[in-house]
Amino acid sequence: MPNIKSAKKRVLVTATKNARNKAIKSNLKSTIKKAETAIAEGGDSAEQVRLAIKRIDQACAKGILHKNTAARRKSKLVRKLNNA
């Protein structure tokens, strides 16, 4: 446990950012799974993929995903959509 005032503040800020990042990542994973399920079932998969790509871009913009990781995940979804 930190004793210095600034270190205590950093612990609070880190916890807040960690919670935010975790929520965004969880939402991202859920959206990607919904898109993959829609592709497999043949539902409104194009709309689900579009939403998943939007979430990936948002996570990338906030620094939660690296830009190459985001590009790879988007490419993977689009490939699945086109091959389905």
Side-chain angles (χ1 to χ4, degrees), residues 1-16:
M1 201 60 206
N3 294 322
I4 299 168
K5 189 175 182 180
S6 62
K8 290 178 184 177
K9 288 181 186 178
R10 290 307 309 161
V11 167
L12 295 175
V13 169
T14 302
T16 304

Side-chain angles (χ1 to χ4, degrees), residues 5-84:
K5 189 175 182 180
S6 62
K8 290 178 184 177
K9 288 181 186 178
R10 290 307 309 161
V11 167
L12 295 175
V13 169
T14 302
T16 304
K17 287 185 176 184
N18 190 12
R20 179 184 132 246
N21 292 345
K22 193 169 189 177
I24 292 171
K25 260 193 170 177
S26 175
N27 188 2
L28 174 65
K29 288 177 185 176
S30 299
T31 308
I32 291 173
K33 282 183 184 177
K34 284 180 188 175
E36 289 175 346
T37 304
I39 290 169
E41 293 176 354
D44 60 338
S45 54
E47 180 64 25
Q48 291 293 330
V49 169
R50 188 189 64 77
L51 183 63
I53 288 175
K54 180 180 177 183
R55 294 277 190 254
I56 291 170
D57 286 335
Q58 287 174 339
C60 183
K62 292 183 186 225
I64 295 169
L65 287 180
H66 189 271
K67 65 178 186 173
N68 291 350
T69 303
R72 188 178 68 243
R73 290 186 182 185
K74 289 191 291 187
S75 174
K76 184 177 176 183
L77 274 176
V78 172
R79 268 186 307 178
K80 284 184 180 181
L81 179 65
N82 290 337
N83 290 334

